[in-house]
Coordinates of all heavy atoms in Angstrom, one line a residue:
M3 N -241.6 73.7 -34.0 CA -242.7 73.5 -33.0 C -243.2 74.9 -32.5 O -242.3 75.8 -32.2 CB -242.1 72.7 -31.8 CG -243.1 72.4 -30.7 SD -242.5 71.4 -29.4 CE -242.4 69.9 -30.1
P4 N -244.5 75.2 -32.5 CA -245.0 76.5 -32.1 C -244.6 76.8 -30.7 O -244.5 75.9 -29.8 CB -246.5 76.4 -32.3 CG -246.7 75.1 -33.1 CD -245.5 74.3 -33.0
E5 N -244.5 78.1 -30.4 CA -244.1 78.5 -29.1 C -245.1 78.1 -28.0 O -244.8 77.7 -26.9 CB -244.0 80.1 -29.1 CG -243.5 80.6 -27.8 CD -242.0 80.3 -27.5 OE1 -241.2 80.1 -28.5 OE2 -241.7 80.2 -26.3
S6 N -246.4 78.1 -28.4 CA -247.5 77.8 -27.4 C -247.4 76.3 -27.0 O -247.6 75.9 -25.9 CB -248.8 78.1 -27.9 OG -249.1 77.3 -29.1
T7 N -247.0 75.4 -27.9 CA -246.8 74.0 -27.7 C -245.7 73.8 -26.7 O -245.8 73.0 -25.8 CB -246.6 73.2 -29.0 OG1 -247.7 73.5 -29.9 CG2 -246.6 71.7 -28.7
K8 N -244.6 74.5 -26.9 CA -243.4 74.3 -26.0 C -243.8 74.8 -24.6 O -243.4 74.1 -23.6 CB -242.2 75.2 -26.5 CG -241.6 74.7 -27.8 CD -240.4 75.6 -28.1 CE -239.8 75.2 -29.4 NZ -238.7 76.1 -29.8
R9 N -244.5 75.9 -24.5 CA -244.9 76.4 -23.2 C -245.8 75.4 -22.5 O -245.7 75.2 -21.3 CB -245.6 77.7 -23.4 CG -245.8 78.5 -22.2 CD -246.4 79.9 -22.4 NE -245.9 80.5 -23.6 CZ -246.6 81.2 -24.4 NH1 -247.9 81.4 -24.3 NH2 -246.0 81.8 -25.5
E10 N -246.8 74.8 -23.3 CA -247.7 73.8 -22.7 C -246.9 72.6 -22.2 O -247.2 72.1 -21.1 CB -248.7 73.4 -23.7 CG -249.7 74.5 -24.0 CD -250.6 74.1 -25.2 OE1 -250.6 73.0 -25.6 OE2 -251.4 75.0 -25.6
E11 N -245.9 72.1 -22.9 CA -245.1 71.0 -22.5 C -244.3 71.3 -21.3 O -244.2 70.5 -20.3 CB -244.1 70.6 -23.6 CG -244.8 69.9 -24.8 CD -243.8 69.5 -25.9 OE1 -242.6 69.6 -25.6 OE2 -244.3 69.1 -27.0
L12 N -243.7 72.5 -21.2 CA -243.0 72.9 -20.0 C -243.9 73.0 -18.8 O -243.5 72.6 -17.7 CB -242.3 74.3 -20.2 CG -241.1 74.2 -21.1 CD1 -240.6 75.7 -21.4 CD2 -240.0 73.4 -20.5
M13 N -245.1 73.5 -19.0 CA -246.1 73.6 -17.9 C -246.5 72.3 -17.4 O -246.6 72.0 -16.2 CB -247.3 74.5 -18.3 CG -247.0 75.9 -18.5 SD -246.3 76.7 -17.0 CE -247.7 76.7 -15.9
Q14 N -246.7 71.3 -18.3 CA -247.0 70.0 -17.9 C -245.9 69.3 -17.1 O -246.2 68.7 -16.1 CB -247.4 69.1 -19.2 CG -247.8 67.7 -18.9 CD -249.1 67.7 -18.0 OE1 -250.0 68.5 -18.2 NE2 -249.2 66.7 -17.2
K15 N -244.7 69.5 -17.6 CA -243.5 68.9 -16.8 C -243.4 69.5 -15.4 O -243.1 68.8 -14.5 CB -242.2 69.1 -17.6 CG -242.1 68.2 -18.8 CD -240.8 68.5 -19.6 CE -240.7 67.6 -20.8 NZ -239.5 67.9 -21.5
K16 N -243.7 70.8 -15.4 CA -243.6 71.5 -14.1 C -244.7 70.9 -13.1 O -244.4 70.7 -12.0 CB -243.7 73.0 -14.3 CG -243.5 73.8 -13.1 CD -243.5 75.3 -13.4 CE -243.2 76.1 -12.2 NZ -243.2 77.6 -12.5
K17 N -245.9 70.8 -13.6 CA -247.0 70.2 -12.8 C -246.6 68.8 -12.3 O -246.9 68.5 -11.2 CB -248.3 70.2 -13.6 CG -248.9 71.5 -13.8 CD -250.2 71.4 -14.7 CE -250.7 72.7 -15.1 NZ -251.9 72.6 -16.0
E18 N -246.1 68.0 -13.2 CA -245.7 66.6 -12.8 C -244.7 66.6 -11.8 O -244.7 65.8 -10.8 CB -245.2 65.8 -14.1 CG -246.3 65.5 -15.0 CD -245.8 64.9 -16.4 OE1 -244.6 64.7 -16.5 OE2 -246.6 64.7 -17.3
F19 N -243.7 67.5 -11.9 CA -242.6 67.6 -10.9 C -243.2 68.0 -9.5 O -242.8 67.4 -8.5 CB -241.6 68.6 -11.3 CG -240.5 68.9 -10.3 CD1 -239.5 67.9 -10.1 CD2 -240.5 70.0 -9.5 CE1 -238.5 68.2 -9.2 CE2 -239.5 70.2 -8.6 CZ -238.5 69.3 -8.4
I20 N -244.1 69.0 -9.5 CA -244.6 69.5 -8.3 C -245.4 68.4 -7.6 O -245.3 68.2 -6.4 CB -245.5 70.8 -8.5 CG1 -244.6 71.9 -8.9 CG2 -246.3 71.1 -7.3 CD1 -245.3 73.1 -9.4
V21 N -246.2 67.7 -8.3 CA -247.1 66.6 -7.8 C -246.2 65.5 -7.3 O -246.5 64.9 -6.2 CB -248.1 66.2 -8.8 CG1 -248.8 64.9 -8.3 CG2 -249.1 67.3 -9.1
S22 N -245.2 65.1 -8.0 CA -244.4 63.9 -7.7 C -243.4 64.2 -6.6 O -243.0 63.2 -5.9 CB -243.7 63.4 -8.9 OG -242.7 64.3 -9.4
D23 N -242.9 65.4 -6.4 CA -241.9 65.7 -5.4 C -242.3 66.8 -4.5 O -242.0 68.0 -4.7 CB -240.6 66.0 -6.2 CG -239.4 66.1 -5.2 OD1 -239.5 65.4 -4.2 OD2 -238.4 66.7 -5.6
P24 N -243.1 66.5 -3.4 CA -243.6 67.5 -2.5 C -242.4 68.1 -1.8 O -241.3 67.5 -1.6 CB -244.5 66.8 -1.6 CG -244.1 65.4 -1.6 CD -243.5 65.2 -3.0
P25 N -242.5 69.4 -1.3 CA -241.4 70.0 -0.6 C -241.0 69.3 0.7 O -241.9 68.7 1.3 CB -241.9 71.4 -0.3 CG -243.3 71.4 -0.7 CD -243.6 70.2 -1.4
K26 N -239.8 69.3 1.0 CA -239.3 68.6 2.2 C -239.2 69.5 3.3 O -238.8 70.7 3.1 CB -238.0 67.9 1.9 CG -238.0 67.0 0.6 CD -237.3 65.8 0.7 CE -237.3 64.9 -0.5 NZ -238.1 65.1 -1.5
R27 N -239.4 69.1 4.5 CA -239.3 70.0 5.7 C -237.9 69.8 6.3 O -237.3 68.8 6.2 CB -240.3 69.5 6.8 CG -241.7 69.8 6.4 CD -242.6 69.3 7.5 NE -242.8 70.4 8.4 CZ -243.9 70.5 9.2 NH1 -244.8 69.6 9.2 NH2 -244.0 71.5 10.0
A28 N -237.4 70.9 6.9 CA -236.1 70.8 7.6 C -236.3 69.8 8.8 O -237.4 69.6 9.3 CB -235.8 72.2 8.1
L29 N -235.2 69.2 9.2 CA -235.3 68.3 10.3 C -235.9 68.9 11.6 O -236.6 68.2 12.3 CB -233.9 67.7 10.6 CG -233.3 66.8 9.5 CD1 -231.9 66.3 9.9 CD2 -234.2 65.6 9.3
A30 N -235.5 70.1 11.9 CA -236.0 70.8 13.1 C -237.4 71.3 12.9 O -238.1 71.6 13.9 CB -235.1 71.9 13.5
D31 N -237.9 71.3 11.7 CA -239.3 71.8 11.5 C -240.3 70.7 11.6 O -240.9 70.3 10.6 CB -239.4 72.4 10.1 CG -240.7 73.2 9.8 OD1 -241.4 73.5 10.8 OD2 -241.1 73.4 8.7
A32 N -240.4 70.2 12.8 CA -241.3 69.0 13.0 C -242.4 69.5 14.0 O -242.1 70.2 14.9 CB -240.5 67.9 13.6
P33 N -243.6 69.0 13.8 CA -244.7 69.2 14.8 C -244.2 68.7 16.2 O -243.8 67.5 16.3 CB -245.9 68.5 14.2 CG -245.6 68.3 12.8 CD -244.1 68.2 12.7
K34 N -244.3 69.5 17.2 CA -244.0 69.0 18.5 C -244.5 70.1 19.5 O -244.9 71.2 19.2 CB -242.5 68.8 18.7 CG -241.6 70.0 18.6 CD -240.2 69.5 18.8 CE -239.3 70.7 18.8 NZ -237.9 70.3 19.1
E35 N -244.3 69.7 20.8 CA -244.7 70.6 21.9 C -243.6 71.7 22.0 O -242.4 71.3 22.1 CB -244.9 69.9 23.2 CG -245.5 70.7 24.3 CD -245.8 69.9 25.5 OE1 -245.5 68.6 25.5 OE2 -246.3 70.4 26.5
R36 N -244.0 72.9 22.0 CA -243.0 74.0 22.2 C -243.5 75.0 23.2 O -244.6 74.9 23.7 CB -242.8 74.8 20.8 CG -242.1 74.0 19.8 CD -241.8 74.8 18.6 NE -240.9 74.2 17.7 CZ -241.1 73.3 16.8 NH1 -242.4 72.9 16.6 NH2 -240.2 72.7 16.1
F37 N -242.6 75.9 23.6 CA -243.0 76.9 24.6 C -243.3 78.2 23.9 O -242.5 78.7 23.1 CB -241.9 77.0 25.7 CG -241.8 75.8 26.6 CD1 -240.8 74.9 26.3 CD2 -242.6 75.6 27.6 CE1 -240.7 73.7 27.1 CE2 -242.6 74.5 28.4 CZ -241.6 73.5 28.1
C38 N -244.3 78.9 24.3 CA -244.7 80.2 23.8 C -243.7 81.2 24.1 O -243.2 81.3 25.3 CB -246.1 80.6 24.3 SG -246.6 82.2 23.8
L39 N -243.2 82.0 23.2 CA -242.2 83.0 23.4 C -242.8 84.2 24.2 O -242.1 85.0 24.7 CB -241.7 83.5 22.1 CG -240.9 82.5 21.3 CD1 -240.4 83.1 20.0 CD2 -239.7 82.0 22.1
R40 N -244.1 84.3 24.3 CA -244.8 85.4 25.0 C -245.1 85.0 26.4 O -244.7 85.7 27.4 CB -246.0 85.8 24.2 CG -246.6 87.1 24.8 CD -247.6 87.7 23.8 NE -248.1 88.9 24.2 CZ -249.3 89.1 24.9 NH1 -250.0 88.1 25.2 NH2 -249.6 90.3 25.3
C41 N -245.8 83.9 26.6 CA -246.3 83.6 28.0 C -245.5 82.4 28.6 O -245.8 82.0 29.8 CB -247.8 83.3 28.0 SG -248.2 81.8 27.1
K42 N -244.7 81.7 27.8 CA -243.9 80.6 28.3 C -244.6 79.3 28.6 O -244.1 78.4 29.1 CB -243.0 80.9 29.5 CG -242.2 82.2 29.5 CD -241.2 82.2 28.4 CE -240.4 83.5 28.4 NZ -240.1 84.0 27.1
S43 N -245.9 79.3 28.2 CA -246.7 78.0 28.4 C -246.4 77.1 27.3 O -246.0 77.5 26.2 CB -248.2 78.3 28.5 OG -248.7 78.8 27.3
S44 N -246.6 75.8 27.5 CA -246.4 74.8 26.4 C -247.6 74.7 25.5 O -248.7 74.9 26.0 CB -246.0 73.5 27.0 OG -247.0 72.9 27.7
F45 N -247.4 74.5 24.3 CA -248.5 74.3 23.3 C -248.0 73.4 22.2 O -246.8 73.3 22.0 CB -249.0 75.7 22.8 CG -248.1 76.4 21.8 CD1 -248.3 76.3 20.5 CD2 -247.0 77.0 22.3 CE1 -247.5 77.0 19.6 CE2 -246.1 77.7 21.4 CZ -246.3 77.6 20.1
W46 N -249.0 72.9 21.4 CA -248.6 72.0 20.3 C -248.4 72.9 19.1 O -249.2 73.7 18.7 CB -249.8 71.0 20.0 CG -249.4 70.1 18.9 CD1 -249.8 70.1 17.6 CD2 -248.4 69.0 19.0 NE1 -249.2 69.1 16.9 CE2 -248.3 68.4 17.7 CE3 -247.7 68.5 20.0 CZ2 -247.5 67.4 17.4 CZ3 -246.9 67.4 19.7 CH2 -246.8 66.9 18.5
S47 N -247.2 72.8 18.5 CA -246.8 73.6 17.4 C -246.6 72.8 16.1 O -246.1 71.7 16.2 CB -245.5 74.3 17.7 OG -244.9 74.9 16.6
E48 N -247.1 73.2 15.0 CA -247.0 72.5 13.7 C -245.6 72.6 13.1 O -245.3 71.9 12.2 CB -248.0 72.9 12.7 CG -249.4 72.5 13.1 CD -249.6 71.0 13.3 OE1 -249.1 70.3 12.4 OE2 -250.3 70.6 14.2
G49 N -244.8 73.5 13.6 CA -243.4 73.7 13.0 C -242.7 74.8 13.7 O -243.3 75.5 14.5
F50 N -241.4 75.0 13.4 CA -240.6 75.9 14.2 C -241.0 77.4 13.9 O -240.6 78.3 14.6 CB -239.1 75.7 14.0 CG -238.6 75.8 12.6 CD1 -238.7 76.9 11.8 CD2 -237.9 74.7 12.1 CE1 -238.1 76.9 10.6 CE2 -237.4 74.7 10.8 CZ -237.5 75.8 10.1
G51 N -241.8 77.6 12.9 CA -242.3 79.0 12.6 C -243.4 79.4 13.4 O -243.8 80.6 13.5
E52 N -244.0 78.5 14.2 CA -245.1 78.8 15.0 C -244.6 78.8 16.5 O -244.4 77.7 17.1 CB -246.2 77.7 14.9 CG -247.5 78.0 15.6 CD -248.5 76.9 15.4 OE1 -248.2 75.9 14.8 OE2 -249.6 77.1 15.9
R53 N -244.4 80.0 17.0 CA -243.8 80.0 18.4 C -244.6 80.8 19.4 O -244.2 81.0 20.5 CB -242.4 80.7 18.3 CG -241.4 79.9 17.4 CD -241.2 78.5 17.8 NE -240.6 78.4 19.1 CZ -239.3 78.2 19.4 NH1 -238.5 78.2 18.4 NH2 -238.9 78.1 20.6
I54 N -245.8 81.3 18.9 CA -246.7 82.0 19.8 C -248.0 81.1 19.9 O -248.5 80.8 18.9 CB -247.1 83.4 19.3 CG1 -245.8 84.2 19.0 CG2 -248.0 84.1 20.3 CD1 -245.0 84.5 20.3
C55 N -248.4 80.9 21.1 CA -249.6 80.0 21.3 C -250.9 80.7 20.9 O -250.9 82.0 20.8 CB -249.7 79.6 22.8 SG -250.2 80.9 23.9
S56 N -251.9 80.0 20.6 CA -253.2 80.5 20.1 C -253.8 81.4 21.2 O -254.5 82.4 20.8 CB -254.1 79.4 19.7 OG -254.4 78.6 20.8
R57 N -253.6 81.1 22.5 CA -254.2 82.0 23.5 C -253.6 83.4 23.5 O -254.3 84.4 23.5 CB -254.0 81.4 24.9 CG -254.6 82.1 26.0 CD -254.5 81.4 27.3 NE -253.1 81.3 27.7 CZ -252.6 80.3 28.4 NH1 -253.4 79.4 28.9 NH2 -251.3 80.3 28.7
C58 N -252.3 83.5 23.3 CA -251.6 84.8 23.2 C -252.0 85.5 21.9 O -252.2 86.7 21.8 CB -250.1 84.6 23.2 SG -249.5 84.3 24.9
K59 N -252.2 84.7 20.8 CA -252.6 85.3 19.5 C -254.0 85.9 19.6 O -254.4 86.8 18.8 CB -252.4 84.3 18.4 CG -251.0 84.1 18.0 CD -251.0 83.1 16.8 CE -249.6 82.8 16.4 NZ -249.5 81.8 15.3
A60 N -254.8 85.4 20.5 CA -256.2 85.8 20.6 C -256.3 87.1 21.4 O -257.4 87.7 21.4 CB -257.0 84.7 21.2
T61 N -255.3 87.6 22.0 CA -255.4 88.8 22.9 C -255.5 90.0 22.0 O -255.0 90.0 20.9 CB -254.1 88.9 23.8 OG1 -253.0 89.1 23.0 CG2 -254.0 87.8 24.7
S62 N -256.1 91.0 22.5 CA -256.3 92.3 21.7 C -255.0 92.9 21.5 O -254.7 93.6 20.5 CB -257.3 93.2 22.4 OG -256.8 93.5 23.7
A63 N -254.0 92.8 22.5 CA -252.7 93.4 22.3 C -252.0 92.8 21.1 O -251.3 93.5 20.4 CB -251.9 93.3 23.6
W64 N -252.1 91.5 21.0 CA -251.4 90.8 19.9 C -252.0 91.2 18.5 O -251.3 91.5 17.6 CB -251.4 89.3 20.1 CG -250.8 88.6 19.0 CD1 -251.4 88.0 17.9 CD2 -249.4 88.3 18.8 NE1 -250.5 87.4 17.0 CE2 -249.2 87.6 17.6 CE3 -248.3 88.5 19.6 CZ2 -248.0 87.1 17.2 CZ3 -247.1 88.1 19.2 CH2 -246.9 87.4 18.0
R65 N -253.3 91.2 18.5 CA -254.0 91.5 17.2 C -253.8 93.0 16.8 O -253.8 93.3 15.7 CB -255.5 91.2 17.3 CG -255.8 89.7 17.4 CD -257.2 89.4 17.2 NE -258.1 90.2 18.1 CZ -258.6 89.9 19.2 NH1 -258.4 88.7 19.7 NH2 -259.4 90.8 19.9
A66 N -253.7 93.9 17.8 CA -253.5 95.3 17.5 C -252.1 95.7 17.3 O -251.8 96.9 16.8 CB -254.1 96.1 18.6
A67 N -251.1 94.9 17.5 CA -249.7 95.2 17.4 C -249.4 95.7 16.0 O -248.7 96.7 15.8 CB -248.8 94.1 17.8
V68 N -249.8 95.0 15.0 CA -249.5 95.4 13.6 C -250.8 95.2 12.8 O -251.3 94.1 12.6 CB -248.4 94.5 13.0 CG1 -248.2 94.9 11.5 CG2 -247.1 94.6 13.7
P69 N -251.3 96.3 12.3 CA -252.6 96.1 11.5 C -252.4 95.3 10.3 O -251.3 95.3 9.7 CB -252.9 97.6 11.1 CG -252.1 98.4 12.0 CD -250.9 97.6 12.4
E70 N -253.4 94.5 9.9 CA -253.3 93.6 8.7 C -253.0 94.5 7.5 O -253.6 95.5 7.3 CB -254.6 92.9 8.5 CG -254.7 91.7 9.4 CD -255.9 90.8 9.1 OE1 -256.1 90.6 7.9 OE2 -256.6 90.4 10.0
G71 N -252.2 93.9 6.6 CA -251.9 94.6 5.4 C -250.9 95.7 5.4 O -250.5 96.3 4.4
V72 N -250.4 96.1 6.6 CA -249.5 97.2 6.8 C -248.1 96.6 7.0 O -247.9 95.9 8.0 CB -249.9 98.1 7.9 CG1 -248.8 99.2 8.1 CG2 -251.2 98.7 7.7
S73 N -247.2 96.9 6.2 CA -245.8 96.4 6.3 C -244.9 97.3 5.6 O -245.1 97.7 4.5 CB -245.6 95.0 5.8 OG -244.3 94.6 5.9
Q74 N -243.9 97.8 6.3 CA -242.9 98.7 5.7 C -241.5 98.0 5.6 O -240.6 98.7 5.2 CB -242.8 100.0 6.5 CG -244.1 100.8 6.4 CD -243.9 102.2 6.7 OE1 -242.8 102.7 6.7 NE2 -245.0 102.9 6.8
G75 N -241.4 96.8 6.0 CA -240.2 96.1 5.9 C -239.2 96.6 6.9 O -239.6 97.1 8.0
R76 N -237.9 96.5 6.6 CA -236.9 96.9 7.6 C -236.6 98.4 7.6 O -236.1 98.9 8.5 CB -235.6 96.1 7.2 CG -235.7 94.7 7.5 CD -234.4 94.0 7.2 NE -234.6 92.6 7.4 CZ -233.6 91.7 7.6 NH1 -232.4 92.2 7.6 NH2 -233.8 90.5 7.8
R77 N -236.9 99.0 6.5 CA -236.7 100.5 6.4 C -237.9 101.2 6.9 O -239.1 100.9 6.5 CB -236.4 100.9 5.0 CG -235.1 100.2 4.5 CD -234.9 100.6 3.1 NE -233.8 99.8 2.5 CZ -233.4 100.0 1.3 NH1 -233.9 100.9 0.5 NH2 -232.4 99.3 0.9
S78 N -237.8 102.2 7.7 CA -238.9 102.9 8.2 C -239.6 103.8 7.2 O -240.8 104.1 7.2 CB -238.5 103.8 9.4 OG -237.5 104.7 9.1
G79 N -238.8 104.3 6.2 CA -239.4 105.2 5.3 C -239.6 104.7 3.9 O -239.9 105.4 2.9
G80 N -239.6 103.4 3.8 CA -239.8 102.8 2.5 C -238.5 102.8 1.7 O -237.4 103.0 2.2
R81 N -238.5 102.5 0.4 CA -237.3 102.5 -0.4 C -236.9 103.9 -0.8 O -237.6 104.8 -1.0 CB -237.6 101.7 -1.7 CG -237.8 100.2 -1.4 CD -237.8 99.4 -2.6 NE -238.0 98.0 -2.2 CZ -237.2 97.1 -2.6 NH1 -236.2 97.3 -3.3 NH2 -237.4 95.8 -2.2
S82 N -235.6 104.0 -0.9 CA -235.0 105.3 -1.3 C -234.8 105.4 -2.8 O -234.5 104.5 -3.5 CB -233.6 105.5 -0.6 OG -233.7 105.4 0.8

């Protein structure tokens, strides 16, 4: 069997698996009302990864804290 045919079959199986078995959420990762970690007001959160309310995210201080596309990870000087 040619290599390209095997690859196509594997890709098809992978697509079928992804479509048939969507990722599962953790039990605690449920949409619910949470408290903003910045202002302590309650807001509707889509999951536990969303902990800052949209009002706080709209402030210039929040938007200016880390410029988009700039990330140095945990190390301040990059990789050694």
Side-chain angles (χ1 to χ4, degrees):
M3 181 177 287
E5 187 67 30
S6 62
T7 306
K8 287 181 185 179
R9 193 174 322 137
E10 289 171 10
E11 286 180 12
L12 288 173
M13 291 300 292
Q14 183 62 34
K15 287 180 182 180
K16 189 174 184 179
K17 286 178 190 176
E18 289 171 3
F19 175 77
I20 291 171
V21 171
S22 67
D23 193 20
K26 308 218 179 353
R27 295 179 87 157
L29 292 176
D31 189 21
K34 67 179 184 179
E35 189 173 1
R36 290 188 165 82
F37 292 97
C38 176
L39 296 176
R40 189 166 185 263
C41 71
K42 310 298 184 219
S43 67
S44 64
F45 71 102
W46 185 255
S47 168
E48 291 299 320
F50 58 62
E52 185 180 10
R53 300 304 296 267
I54 306 296
C55 70
S56 59
R57 186 174 59 207
C58 287
K59 286 182 181 179
T61 63
S62 59
W64 179 265
R65 290 191 314 261
V68 178
E70 279 189 46
V72 176
S73 175
Q74 296 202 8
R76 294 183 181 196
R77 300 178 187 183
S78 59
R81 294 192 177 232
S82 301

